[in-house]
């Protein structure tokens, strides 16, 4: 096929009048920009579209227009490339986007020669923009950014799009209710819960600015009790027109602010709701009994996404019974379940193996040509493999169960196994841990990596994860688990030991589902290591 053309010219009436060629009534992609702002679009009538933009108050502030032309373009291809450019420009972080949500059309779909347009041609486009110094970061750098993966402009699956639209309809229907309305969404790690919420907060903030909308002037928030996730959301807000950083808060901050005000918030989205406190925590400025209950009390509509298999602390202990006991007091939508796995590029058999493993069952490891799964005899060899993958693909890290001392006292603590010794993760204020280049030389904890993707993850199963040769299953030795904060509040549990084991297995579940393309495992316990090697079809300790 012929090469793509990019024609850049001043964004003014004279340039628009001089546009000529076959592409004047043919599908094209374009973007308008000045030094700080960009708008990206696609059209089949470029002159008319540009004239309309020139009459738009915001758009006419942009000084250049760039037309992206290819003789084989069709509407599916131009829409696809437009959407990709929006997400890449957002993650490039050079410009603030003027674009609005593409709610109706933003669903993944196949079309003729999609691979060519979506991969080969788009790569040519981005490389040319880099060459012309119109963007700053390579595709490789952008695709490894959390802001890219959590973009509110992402193409959604059919399931995700249906949920997004359902949430927005629920908000419109119940915004003027006298009583709070609650909508719970359940989904395991990697099903795209946060991507849906990112698109929803952007859309409802756009509607909040439209006079004709039922949500006009609504006061809306997205809450997340996870410092690393909050950084990503606020970074997105810095580069998207409809959002501001004040739309994103931690639950405790939101609750304490609302207590001082007489009015309720309108729509409150809660990401990672399984991290909400289920008991008072005065040390962290929460003095009430339950954060979800308080959020509902101070909101008209609450949309909360959760995964009870990611509960990690006794002071944030959620199960179906506890959730439903709270929701029963309010008007509520039936719980919606997201099911399709998007993070892991693995077969169902491989995902099922992990699910069974965190249920303490050790089955024969299935073959999976698409997913790089390895068991290692040495933590050092596993680290060397991860280091190599990081050099090739980026965003590859070692993580570990919380079986090694790690305190918040500004001291350095290490994860040590035989000849392996690396420090636990540091605290990075302005970006997420995995995006820091040097953190390949650190070990990530469950609290650092929960909610995020890695390309390849190496998991150290510490001394708390053992193997019982009589039962043929995992054995959890909770006395070796060093996260004492996780077990604070044990007095309220009659089945204390069961809950401790559940929390450790949940942490294992989260760690093992971080890798998009590969999962490497090293077990500290010799019995478990031997068992894993025996059920592996390839006993890997080499690159």
């Amino acid at each position: 096929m012929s090469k793509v053309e990019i024609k850049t010219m001043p964004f003014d009436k004279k340039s628009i009048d001089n546009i000529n060629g076959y592409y004047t009534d043919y599908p094209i992609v374009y973007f308008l920009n000045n030094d700080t702002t960009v708008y990206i679009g696609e059209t089949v009538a470029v002159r008319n579209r540009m004239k309309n933009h020139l009459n738009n108050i915001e758009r006419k502030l942009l000084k250049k227009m760039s037309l992206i032309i290819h003789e084989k373009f069709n509407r599916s291809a131009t829409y696809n490339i437009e959407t990709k450019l929006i997400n890449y420009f957002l993650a490039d972080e050079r410009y603030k986007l003027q674009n609005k949500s593409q709610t109706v059309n933003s669903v993944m779909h196949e079309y003729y020669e999609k691979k060519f347009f979506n991969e080969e041609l788009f790569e040519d486009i981005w490389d040319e923009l880099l060459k012309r110094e119109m963007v700053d970061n390579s595709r490789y750098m952008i695709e490894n950014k959390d802001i890219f993966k959590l973009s509110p402009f992402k193409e959604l699956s059919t399931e995700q799009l249906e949920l997004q639209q359902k949430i927005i309809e629920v908000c419109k229907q119940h915004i003027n209710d006298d009583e709070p309305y609650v909508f719970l969404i359940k989904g395991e790690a990697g099903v795209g819960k946060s991507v849906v919420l990112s698109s929803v907060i952007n859309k409802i903030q756009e509607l909040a600015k439209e006079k004709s909308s039922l949500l006009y002037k609504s006061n809306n928030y997205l809450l997340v009790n996870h410092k690393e996730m909050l950084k990503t959301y606020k970074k997105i807000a810095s580069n998207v027109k409809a959002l501001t950083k004040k739309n994103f808060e931690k639950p405790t901050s939101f609750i304490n602010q609302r207590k001082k005000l007489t009015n309720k918030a309108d729509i409150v989205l809660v990401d990672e709701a399984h991290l909400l406190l289920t008991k008072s925590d005065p040390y962290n400025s929460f003095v009430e009994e339950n954060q979800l209950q308080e959020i509902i009390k101070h909101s008209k509509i609450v949309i909360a996404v959760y995964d009870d298999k990611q509960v990690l602390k006794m002071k944030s202990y959620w199960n179906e019974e506890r959730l439903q006991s709270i929701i029963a007091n309010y008007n509520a939508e039936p719980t919606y379940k997201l099911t399709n796995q998007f993070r892991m590029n693995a077969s169902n058999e491989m995902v099922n193996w992990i699910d069974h493993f965190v249920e303490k069952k050790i089955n024969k490891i299935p073959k999976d040509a698409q997913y790089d799964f390895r068991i290692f005899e040495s933590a050092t060899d596993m680290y060397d493999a991860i280091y190599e993958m990081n050099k090739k693909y980026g965003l590859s890290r070692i993580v570990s169960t919380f079986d090694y001392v790690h305190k918040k006292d500004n001291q350095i603590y290490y994860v040590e196994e035989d000849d392996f010794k690396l420090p636990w993760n540091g605290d990075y204020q302005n970006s997420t841990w995995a995006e820091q280049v040097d953190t390949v030389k650190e070990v990530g904890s469950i609290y650092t990596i929960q909610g995020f993707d890695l390309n390849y993850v190496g998991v150290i199963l510490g001394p708390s994860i053992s193997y019982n040769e009589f039962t043929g299953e995992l054995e959890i030795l909770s006395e070796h688990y060093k996260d004492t904060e996780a077990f604070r509040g044990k007095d309220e549990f009659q089945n204390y030991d069961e809950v401790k084991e559940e929390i450790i297995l949940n942490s294992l579940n989260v760690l093992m589902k971080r890798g998009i393309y590969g999962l490497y495992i090293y077990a500290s316990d010799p019995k478990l290591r031997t068992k894993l090697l025996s059920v592996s079809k390839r006993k890997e300790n080499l690159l």
Side-chain angles (χ1 to χ4, degrees), residues 410-428:
N410 295 319
Q411 302 297 312
I412 298 175
Y413 293 91
Y414 292 90
V415 175
E416 295 187 60
E417 283 290 330
D418 295 329
D419 60 342
F420 174 87
K421 181 179 179 180
L422 282 181
W424 275 114
N425 55 265
D427 188 9
Y428 300 91

Side-chain angles (χ1 to χ4, degrees), residues 64-154:
K64 295 178 184 177
M65 63 176 168
S66 296
L67 312 181
I68 303 172
I69 304 156
H70 192 277
E71 64 182 13
K72 297 294 184 181
F73 268 162
N74 56 64
R75 290 307 294 275
S76 290
T78 54
Y79 175 75
N80 184 186
I81 290 172
E82 174 201 29
T83 302
K84 287 197 74 166
L85 280 174
I86 289 169
N87 288 300
Y88 276 73
F89 267 93
L90 170 64
D92 190 55
E93 299 183 73
R94 179 166 172 175
Y95 304 96
K96 192 176 183 78
L97 285 168
Q98 283 190 356
N99 286 78
K100 294 177 69 175
S101 301
Q102 300 168 294
T103 308
V104 176
N105 297 316
S106 54
V107 61
M108 299 173 187
H109 69 279
E110 295 299 323
Y111 60 87
Y112 182 61
E113 292 187 329
K114 179 176 181 178
K115 184 175 182 180
F116 167 75
F117 291 110
N118 189 54
E119 297 176 18
E120 296 176 41
L121 191 69
F122 187 81
E123 185 173 1
D124 290 344
I125 291 169
W126 197 258
D127 286 347
E128 183 61 26
L129 295 179
L130 272 172
K131 182 179 175 182
R132 298 187 188 191
E133 298 184 343
M134 300 177 83
V135 294
D136 294 331
N137 291 282
S138 68
R139 290 180 67 208
Y140 167 87
M141 293 291 292
I142 282 172
E143 289 168 1
N144 283 333
K145 285 189 174 187
D146 293 321
I147 187 175
F148 176 76
K149 295 173 182 178
L150 210 57
S151 166
F153 303 105
K154 281 280 188 183

Side-chain angles (χ1 to χ4, degrees), residues 44-233:
V44 292
V46 62
R47 279 206 202 95
N48 288 341
R49 187 69 175 137
M50 293 305 140
K51 287 176 182 176
N52 290 339
H53 282 319
L54 206 55
N55 291 325
N56 179 288
I57 292 174
E58 290 183 327
R59 229 68 86 225
K60 71 181 181 182
L61 297 174
L62 306 176
K63 302 303 181 185
K64 295 178 184 177
M65 63 176 168
S66 296
L67 312 181
I68 303 172
I69 304 156
H70 192 277
E71 64 182 13
K72 297 294 184 181
F73 268 162
N74 56 64
R75 290 307 294 275
S76 290
T78 54
Y79 175 75
N80 184 186
I81 290 172
E82 174 201 29
T83 302
K84 287 197 74 166
L85 280 174
I86 289 169
N87 288 300
Y88 276 73
F89 267 93
L90 170 64
D92 190 55
E93 299 183 73
R94 179 166 172 175
Y95 304 96
K96 192 176 183 78
L97 285 168
Q98 283 190 356
N99 286 78
K100 294 177 69 175
S101 301
Q102 300 168 294
T103 308
V104 176
N105 297 316
S106 54
V107 61
M108 299 173 187
H109 69 279
E110 295 299 323
Y111 60 87
Y112 182 61
E113 292 187 329
K114 179 176 181 178
K115 184 175 182 180
F116 167 75
F117 291 110
N118 189 54
E119 297 176 18
E120 296 176 41
L121 191 69
F122 187 81
E123 185 173 1
D124 290 344
I125 291 169
W126 197 258
D127 286 347
E128 183 61 26
L129 295 179
L130 272 172
K131 182 179 175 182
R132 298 187 188 191
E133 298 184 343
M134 300 177 83
V135 294
D136 294 331
N137 291 282
S138 68
R139 290 180 67 208
Y140 167 87
M141 293 291 292
I142 282 172
E143 289 168 1
N144 283 333
K145 285 189 174 187
D146 293 321
I147 187 175
F148 176 76
K149 295 173 182 178
L150 210 57
S151 166
F153 303 105
K154 281 280 188 183
E155 282 187 325
L156 304 176
S157 70
T158 301
E159 181 188 38
Q160 289 173 318
L161 185 62
E162 286 175 355
L163 175 57
Q164 180 218 49
Q165 293 176 337
K166 184 174 179 62
I167 293 171
I168 292 166
E169 285 307 307
V170 164
C171 292
K172 290 177 179 177
Q173 289 169 13
H174 298 283
I175 192 65
N176 294 314
D177 287 3
D178 294 330
E179 298 296 324
Y181 196 86
V182 182
F183 186 4
L184 292 182
I185 297 147
K186 184 175 181 178
E188 295 188 12
V191 299
K193 302 182 296 294
S194 297
V195 171
V196 174
L197 283 197
S198 181
S199 70
V200 169
I201 187 66
N202 189 52
K203 183 60 182 177
I204 63 175
Q205 283 306 105
E206 290 171 356
L207 294 172
K209 295 173 173 61
E210 294 182 9
K211 291 182 179 180
S212 60
S213 171
L214 292 169
L215 304 182
Y216 181 55
K217 289 189 176 180
S218 55
N219 183 25
N220 311 310
Y221 296 87
L222 192 155
L223 311 181
V224 60
N225 214 359
H226 188 308
K227 184 173 67 173
E228 299 291 301
M229 289 285 283
L230 191 60
K231 289 177 190 175
T232 302
Y233 279 124

Side-chain angles (χ1 to χ4, degrees), residues 246-492:
K246 68 179 182 180
N247 295 128
F248 302 90
E249 290 282 357
K250 279 196 167 185
T252 301
S253 300
F254 169 81
I255 292 164
N256 291 336
Q257 287 170 11
R258 299 319 297 183
K259 285 194 297 186
K260 299 174 185 177
L261 302 171
T262 56
N263 62 324
K264 291 184 175 184
D266 289 308
I267 302 165
V268 177
L269 310 175
V270 185
D271 199 1
E272 308 274 359
H274 42 266
L275 301 180
L276 293 175
L277 294 168
T278 54
K279 60 184 296 180
S280 177
D281 188 7
Y283 179 77
N284 288 304
S285 303
F286 179 68
V287 297
E288 286 77 25
E289 293 182 1
N290 184 288
Q291 284 192 326
L292 179 58
Q293 198 166 304
E294 290 301 311
I295 291 166
I296 295 171
K297 184 191 297 185
H298 292 294
S299 312
K300 291 183 179 179
I301 298 169
V302 173
I303 315 290
V305 301
Y306 74 101
D307 177 8
D308 52 8
K309 291 184 179 179
Q310 294 192 55
V311 171
L312 300 175
K313 293 183 178 182
M314 288 184 173
K315 68 179 182 181
S316 306
Y317 184 76
W318 290 100
N319 55 26
E320 284 294 325
E321 184 180 354
R322 177 168 271 174
L323 266 172
Q324 296 306 322
S325 69
I326 291 176
I327 302 310
N329 300 314
Y330 303 98
N331 294 325
E333 196 77 12
T335 300
Y336 189 103
K337 292 186 179 179
L338 273 172
T339 58
N340 293 330
Q341 173 65 236
F342 289 103
R343 175 181 294 128
M344 297 172 64
N345 188 34
S347 65
N348 290 335
E349 291 76 16
M350 190 72 254
V351 176
N352 288 339
W353 187 91
I354 296 171
D355 287 339
H356 288 142
F357 188 76
V358 298
E359 291 170 357
K360 303 202 292 186
K361 300 178 181 67
I362 305 177
N363 299 325
K364 194 171 185 180
I365 298 169
K367 287 182 178 178
D368 188 341
Q370 300 300 313
Y371 198 70
D372 186 6
F373 185 99
R374 311 189 204 179
I375 306 297
F376 285 80
E377 293 189 50
S378 158
T380 298
D381 289 340
M382 183 173 77
Y383 173 69
D384 291 342
I386 285 292
Y387 195 86
E388 285 302 311
M389 288 302 176
N390 190 63
K391 285 202 295 187
K392 289 181 182 178
Y393 307 109
L395 211 63
S396 302
R397 297 290 185 272
I398 293 280
V399 299
S400 175
T401 53
F402 216 119
D403 292 322
Y404 309 86
V405 175
H406 187 189
K407 298 179 181 178
K408 292 183 177 179
D409 58 5
N410 295 319
Q411 302 297 312
I412 298 175
Y413 293 91
Y414 292 90
V415 175
E416 295 187 60
E417 283 290 330
D418 295 329
D419 60 342
F420 174 87
K421 181 179 179 180
L422 282 181
W424 275 114
N425 55 265
D427 188 9
Y428 300 91
Q429 295 300 317
N430 298 318
S431 66
T432 56
W433 172 73
E435 287 187 347
Q436 294 285 328
V437 174
D438 287 342
T439 57
V440 71
K441 300 173 185 176
E442 296 178 351
V443 179
S445 76
I446 181 67
Y447 302 114
T448 302
I449 206 65
Q450 186 176 29
F452 292 106
D453 296 347
L454 294 169
N455 287 332
Y456 293 83
V457 63
V459 180
I460 294 175
L461 306 180
S464 71
I465 314 296
S466 184
Y467 175 65
N468 188 315
E469 294 172 310
F470 297 102
T471 64
E473 294 188 341
L474 285 186
E475 184 173 9
I476 304 304
L477 306 177
S478 59
E479 64 271 21
H480 293 304
Y481 201 66
K482 303 301 184 186
D483 185 9
T484 54
E485 177 69 13
F487 302 143
R488 188 158 63 85
K490 64 181 182 180
D491 294 342
E492 71 173 274

